[in-house]
Amino acid sequence: MPRKKEYDKALVTEKAMEQFWSKGYSDTSARMLEKSMGINPFSIYSSFGNKRGVLLESLKYYQSQVREQLLLPLSKAPKSIDSLQDFFVNFLNFTKGKDCYKGCLLINTAHETATTPDARVNAIIENFSTEIKTAFYEILKSDQSKTNELVERQTSYLFVALQGILSAAKINNEQQIDNYINMTFLNI
Amino acid sequence: MPRKKEYDKALVTEKAMEQFWSKGYSDTSARMLEKSMGINPFSIYSSFGNKRGVLLESLKYYQSQVREQLLLPLSKAPKSIDSLQDFFVNFLNFTKGKDCYKGCLLINTAHETATTPDARVNAIIENFSTEIKTAFYEILKSDQSKTNELVERQTSYLFVALQGILSAAKINNEQQIDNYINMTFLNI
DNA sequence: ATCATTTCTAAACGTATGTTTAGATAATAT
DNA sequence: ATATTATCTAAACATACGTTTAGAAATGAT
């Protein structure tokens, strides 16, 4: 008996995600969300609760995109260091905007909300971290000559390196980042 | 003939810097600045022009602190890789807050203002980058066996790694960061 | 003592923020 | 057809934002 929604929730969530990804959470206003999502305040608040709710759905959407476009290909690729390095390059391209690198939305959000922790945001980020580290671990441990301890240290190292690259790409030129990736994998 | 200021500008600048360092620029309101600086709106705006002016003075103050506490000691230390690694550890400690790592104020600001570039902010950050890279270069080139090209690549690599560490420390545990620093210097 | 000048206090400015509300509109069940 | 329910529009809400202003208080030159 109810009236039907005139918008597709997945689609407006994607639009919101793009806003948060480009501008960050604090610097994205409710008015900007209305405009980029193309719907009225009422629709936003009845569908998402509040601004934080829009962020949460955006993060989930982002995570699903990372899984689909980056983690799935990695899981299908040969278990080699080259595949890992490709993953880094692919992730970097994934974060490429019109005229800048936007970083990883989840990492950006983690940094922005570090001083105002939110349990639901943290849960998503924690989940995401584990997924990526597990993928790294599976590949690194395929080299039987490595001890478990070494594999764990390399996993942790690469995970921090990935965060560093995605962040640094926002404010450094491509040559520096390219050089950094190559140097990073000399260690592995 | 004028009345005297009742506050010390360097001191209130330091207080402002601490606010921006902890909370970021957008999430630091004028009211928070008034409170932490301990002076009235009028005093802030007559001394600094506007909020962006307070940030600029804060960045300059921060830069002078980095020079004094980190770059000067490095320039006096032996020209060795160990000194460089110590610099990384010292920088990390320099960014340590009450119960979190705050990152580098200049890098934090660069990330936050990446979408709204400010010429004066960029100039300070550019200047700061050059200073640090020069310090790295001076140390790395002291190993005569390295080609200029290698020294340049290692300089760039370490500079990006430093940015990564200072950012990543905000959202990773100390063991991960410690491990990352050690792995990073295996390459050098 | 008076004047000019600067700083102080304290209140207010206009605008932007996140969010809510009142009523019109559309879809189905009866 | 009507009642019910959810959605839409459009305006408004209270509060917080960055900033300015009017006038009192203090300093030093004349």
Side-chain angles (χ1 to χ4, degrees):
Chain A
M1 57 276 259
R3 183 174 175 177
K4 282 177 183 167
K5 273 196 175 72
E6 293 180 0
Y7 56 91
D8 175 20
K9 189 170 178 187
L11 202 139
V12 301
T13 302
E14 184 184 3
K15 295 294 181 190
M17 182 204 74
E18 282 164 9
Q19 265 296 322
F20 286 133
W21 203 357
S22 298
K23 285 279 183 183
Y25 181 73
S26 291
D27 287 344
T28 294
S29 71
R31 302 279 121 88
M32 292 166 77
L33 282 177
E34 293 161 25
K35 191 164 189 182
S36 58
M37 297 168 85
I39 56 178
N40 289 318
F42 173 88
S43 303
I44 295 178
Y45 283 85
S46 66
S47 259
F48 297 90
N50 53 24
K51 188 186 173 187
R52 183 58 60 115
V54 182
L55 175 68
L56 274 164
E57 293 301 312
S58 299
L59 295 183
K60 287 177 196 167
Y61 187 89
Y62 175 86
Q63 197 179 18
S64 75
Q65 294 288 100
V66 172
R67 278 201 200 98
E68 206 172 285
Q69 296 186 34
L70 298 170
L71 286 171
L72 193 62
L74 178 62
S75 73
K76 287 179 176 164
K79 294 208 182 318
S80 69
I81 304 305
D82 277 354
S83 297
L84 259 182
Q85 186 159 349
D86 286 346
F87 175 79
F88 274 61
V89 173
N90 292 339
F91 209 144
L92 203 52
N93 284 330
F94 177 74
T95 68
K96 202 170 195 165
K98 239 213 279 266
D99 37 32
C100 68
Y101 287 95
K102 297 175 294 184
C104 168
L105 175 59
L106 285 165
I107 297 171
N108 295 351
T109 306
H111 283 129
E112 205 177 345
T113 62
T115 47
T116 351
D118 179 303
R120 294 175 301 171
V121 169
N122 287 348
I124 291 175
I125 290 164
E126 194 58 41
N127 179 14
F128 168 78
S129 303
T130 304
E131 267 181 67
I132 290 191
K133 280 190 276 192
T134 302
F136 288 2
Y137 188 90
E138 290 303 316
I139 287 179
L140 291 168
K141 85 165 181 194
S142 71
D143 180 345
Q144 311 265 349
S145 71
K146 289 176 183 168
T147 65
N148 274 351
E149 198 258 342
L150 179 60
V151 172
E152 272 164 28
R153 291 207 316 145
Q154 291 191 335
T155 298
S156 163
Y157 168 67
L158 284 181
F159 183 63
V160 174
L162 177 65
Q163 293 177 56
I165 287 165
L166 297 175
S167 288
K170 296 202 272 179
I171 54 174
N172 294 267
N173 66 44
E174 304 209 358
Q175 189 195 328
Q176 285 172 307
I177 299 301
D178 194 54
N179 174 54
Y180 178 80
I181 293 180
N182 287 326
M183 298 278 288
T184 295
F185 276 92
L186 290 182
N187 274 334
I188 303 299
Chain B
M1 58 273 260
R3 182 174 176 176
K4 283 177 182 167
K5 272 195 175 70
E6 292 180 359
Y7 56 92
D8 174 21
K9 189 170 178 187
L11 202 138
V12 302
T13 302
E14 184 184 3
K15 295 294 181 189
M17 182 203 74
E18 282 164 9
Q19 265 296 322
F20 287 133
W21 203 357
S22 297
K23 285 278 183 183
Y25 181 74
S26 291
D27 288 344
T28 295
S29 70
R31 303 279 123 84
M32 292 166 76
L33 282 176
E34 294 161 23
K35 190 163 188 183
S36 59
M37 296 168 87
I39 56 179
N40 289 319
F42 173 88
S43 303
I44 294 178
Y45 283 84
S46 67
S47 259
F48 297 90
N50 53 23
K51 189 186 171 188
R52 182 57 62 111
V54 182
L55 175 69
L56 274 164
E57 292 301 312
S58 299
L59 294 183
K60 287 178 195 165
Y61 187 90
Y62 175 86
Q63 197 177 18
S64 74
Q65 294 289 100
V66 171
R67 279 202 199 96
E68 206 171 285
Q69 295 186 34
L70 298 171
L71 286 171
L72 192 63
L74 178 62
S75 73
K76 287 179 177 164
K79 295 209 180 317
S80 69
I81 304 304
D82 277 356
S83 297
L84 258 182
Q85 187 159 349
D86 285 346
F87 175 79
F88 273 61
V89 173
N90 292 339
F91 209 144
L92 203 51
N93 285 329
F94 177 72
T95 67
K96 203 170 194 166
K98 238 214 279 267
D99 37 32
C100 69
Y101 287 95
K102 295 175 293 183
C104 168
L105 175 59
L106 285 166
I107 297 171
N108 295 351
T109 305
H111 282 129
E112 207 178 344
T113 62
T115 47
T116 351
D118 179 303
R120 293 174 302 171
V121 169
N122 287 350
I124 291 176
I125 290 165
E126 194 58 42
N127 178 14
F128 168 78
S129 302
T130 303
E131 268 181 66
I132 290 191
K133 279 190 277 192
T134 301
F136 288 1
Y137 189 89
E138 291 302 315
I139 287 178
L140 291 169
K141 84 165 183 195
S142 70
D143 180 345
Q144 312 264 351
S145 72
K146 289 177 182 167
T147 66
N148 273 352
E149 198 258 341
L150 179 59
V151 171
E152 272 163 28
R153 291 207 317 142
Q154 290 190 336
T155 297
S156 163
Y157 168 68
L158 284 181
F159 183 63
V160 174
L162 177 64
Q163 292 177 56
I165 287 164
L166 296 176
S167 288
K170 295 202 272 178
I171 54 175
N172 294 267
N173 65 45
E174 304 210 359
Q175 190 196 328
Q176 286 172 306
I177 300 301
D178 195 53
N179 174 54
Y180 178 80
I181 293 180
N182 287 325
M183 298 278 288
T184 295
F185 276 91
L186 290 182
N187 274 335
I188 304 300

